């Protein structure tokens, strides 16, 4: 198998306001091989922002940067910075349908501008040696035929040199639906993505959208090179503890959720010392014990106490006491 197949085999989707640095560090405690993505970051924020939008912990690797822009020169500048900072991949967002993103002339509306996307990809590829990939939809508005999708992919692959596409298996409505509705209302069409791989066997094709279990991921991997999981990985992060064994075939022990929580303590203490609130980190950990008796008490205790002034890891220890003795032990 190629390196691109391995790196894309399973990944966690870039999710705005969710997959921040704290979230990625937490997810890495559960799975060592899953490719993690940043939230989408605009080129303007990176180039002109007063905050270091490229900051991450070395412990997060492998980690990829998702960019939002339609300016080839700005994308090239940011891709070069990303490679210098150690990111393993740069991904261009051609899938987000929000009004704010459209107003910036990027995201899903770029599906209608395949030549511009190709120019953007080519500009980044000219200045970096790491992979440059595209995350897109299967169509937009009334432009939702299979030919529209193949024309887009073919143009970006041939003119831009892109060899890896992550396909959200829904089209996007650019007006009339909220971003949340665009993740739920347009129907999923997995067979269309399977057909795309069949028609472009030389490309690495990963699928995104509606994947809720590792068993579902295994079915997709019979047809495709990779699976990207979104909200389920965030809301039920405990399933990530099985990924290295189930999807990467590693003889790895399944992470104990209590041990995972405690493995976060040094990181949390370091972040608190920098001025972060405990809740900034623990909001990503609320779903860890989903399906286990005491999970609701865990969530409630953290939600009520993690944002209090002076909250530290003792809050987590108290929350663990509500659930730790209820976790079934493997024989």
């Amino acid at each position: 198998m190629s390196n691109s197949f391995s790196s894309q085999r399973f990944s966690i989707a870039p999710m705005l306001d969710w997959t921040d640095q704290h979230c990625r560090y937490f997810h890495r405690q559960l799975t060592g091989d899953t490719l993690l993505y940043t939230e989408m970051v605009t080129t303007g924020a990176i180039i002109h922002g007063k905050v270091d939008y490229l900051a991450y912990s070395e412990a997060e690797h492998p980690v990829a940067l998702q960019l939002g822009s339609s300016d080839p020169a700005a994308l090239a500048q940011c891709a070069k910075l990303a490679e210098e900072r150690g990111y393993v991949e740069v991904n261009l967002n051609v899938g987000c349908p929000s009004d704010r993103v459209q107003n910036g002339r990027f995201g899903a509306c770029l599906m209608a501008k395949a030549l511009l996307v190709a120019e953007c990809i080519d500009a980044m590829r000219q200045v970096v040696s790491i992979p440059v990939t595209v995350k897109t939809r299967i169509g937009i508005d009334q432009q939702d035929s299979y030919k529209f999708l193949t024309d887009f992919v073919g143009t970006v692959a041939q003119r831009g040199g892109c060899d890896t596409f992550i396909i959200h298996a829904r089209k996007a409505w650019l007006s009339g639906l909220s971003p949340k509705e665009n993740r739920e209302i347009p129907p999923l069409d997995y067979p269309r993505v399977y057909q795309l791989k069949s028609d472009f066997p030389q490309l690495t094709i990963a699928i995104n959208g509606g994947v809720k279990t590792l068993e579902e991921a295994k079915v997709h991997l019979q047809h495709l090179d990779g699976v990207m999981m979104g909200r389920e990985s965030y809301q039920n992060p405990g399933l990530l503890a099985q990924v290295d064994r189930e999807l990467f075939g590693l003889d790895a022990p399944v992470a104990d959720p209590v041990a995972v929580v405690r493995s976060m303590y040094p990181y949390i203490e370091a972040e608190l010392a920098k001025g972060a609130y405990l809740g900034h980190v623990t909001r990503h950990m609320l779903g860890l014990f989903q399906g286990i008796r005491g999970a609701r008490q865990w969530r409630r205790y953290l939600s009520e106490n993690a944002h209090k002034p002076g909250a530290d890891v003792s809050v987590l220890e108290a929350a663990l006491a509500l659930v730790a003795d209820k976790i079934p032990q493997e024989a």
Side-chain angles (χ1 to χ4, degrees):
M1 295 177 184
S2 68
N3 287 335
S4 61
F5 179 94
S6 177
S7 68
Q8 286 293 342
R9 185 169 177 83
F10 187 77
S11 62
I12 295 176
M15 292 176 279
L16 204 57
D17 298 324
W18 285 13
T19 51
D20 64 13
Q21 185 175 342
H22 302 319
C23 176
R24 299 191 305 267
Y25 189 95
F26 168 54
H27 284 169
R28 186 57 73 214
Q29 309 311 302
L30 291 155
T31 169
D33 281 56
T34 297
L35 179 60
L36 305 180
Y37 281 83
T38 67
E39 305 168 86
M40 181 188 67
V41 187
T42 65
T43 52
I46 293 171
I47 295 169
H48 304 296
K50 295 188 169 109
V51 176
D52 181 5
Y53 285 96
L54 297 180
Y56 69 95
S57 163
E58 286 295 319
E60 295 171 38
H61 270 308
V63 61
L65 173 70
Q66 187 183 67
L67 290 172
S69 179
S70 59
D71 180 339
L75 284 164
Q77 181 180 349
C78 291
K80 189 168 179 57
L81 289 172
E83 182 175 48
E84 290 169 355
R85 295 289 290 272
Y87 284 92
V88 301
E89 174 191 315
V90 173
N91 177 267
L92 180 63
N93 184 314
V94 190
C96 181
S98 78
D99 292 340
R100 182 170 64 88
V101 165
Q102 288 184 64
N103 289 339
R105 292 184 62 245
F106 59 94
C109 64
L110 285 179
M111 280 200 83
K113 300 179 179 180
L115 286 173
L116 176 57
V117 174
E119 185 181 349
C120 289
I121 297 298
D122 181 62
M124 289 188 278
R125 291 184 67 250
Q126 293 296 328
V127 298
V128 300
S129 58
I130 57 176
V132 178
T133 67
V134 166
K135 184 173 187 290
T136 189
R137 297 271 186 144
I138 59 173
I140 50 173
D141 295 338
Q142 301 303 330
Q143 296 174 291
D144 60 357
S145 68
Y146 183 63
K147 184 179 185 302
F148 175 75
L149 177 61
T150 57
D151 285 350
F152 173 81
V153 169
T155 298
V156 176
Q158 292 161 20
R159 300 286 191 94
C162 184
D163 62 7
T164 300
F165 292 81
I166 303 146
I167 310 291
H168 187 154
R170 287 185 174 95
K171 76 173 183 179
W173 286 103
L174 299 181
S175 61
L177 294 183
S178 69
K180 180 178 186 295
E181 289 170 330
N182 258 304
R183 293 191 297 269
E184 298 168 352
I185 291 176
L188 287 160
D189 191 346
Y190 295 145
R192 182 167 292 198
V193 184
Y194 297 171
Q195 185 63 46
L196 190 69
K197 175 61 183 179
S198 179
D199 291 340
F200 293 88
Q202 76 279 15
L203 299 179
T204 295
I205 305 288
I207 199 165
N208 170 235
V211 183
K212 294 186 179 297
T213 69
L214 299 190
E215 290 306 312
E216 291 174 18
K218 289 177 182 178
V219 172
H220 291 311
L221 288 170
Q222 294 173 15
H223 303 273
L224 299 162
D225 301 306
V227 174
M228 175 181 276
M229 183 179 280
R231 274 152 176 74
E232 190 67 21
S233 64
Y234 188 91
Q235 293 165 343
N236 183 19
L239 65 78
L240 298 176
Q242 304 278 351
V243 167
D244 292 354
R245 178 188 289 184
E246 294 292 322
L247 298 185
F248 289 97
L250 301 178
D251 186 18
V254 176
D256 165 48
V258 174
V260 166
V261 171
R262 289 180 173 144
S263 74
M264 292 289 294
Y265 290 179
Y267 174 83
I268 289 171
E269 287 169 342
E271 290 300 309
L272 294 179
K274 296 176 190 174
Y277 285 99
L278 180 66
H280 292 165
V281 182
T282 58
R283 71 187 183 98
H284 304 298
M285 303 167 65
L286 295 177
L288 179 60
F289 295 101
Q290 187 174 129
I292 295 170
R293 205 158 47 91
R296 184 177 299 174
Q297 291 92 323
W298 156 267
R299 291 194 301 269
R300 180 184 299 140
Y301 191 88
L302 285 183
S303 297
E304 292 175 353
N305 294 281
H307 288 278
K308 291 180 178 178
D312 58 19
V313 295
S314 65
V315 171
L316 280 159
E317 276 296 302
L320 279 178
L322 301 171
V323 71
D325 64 342
K326 301 174 179 68
I327 299 172
Q329 299 299 310
E330 287 192 7

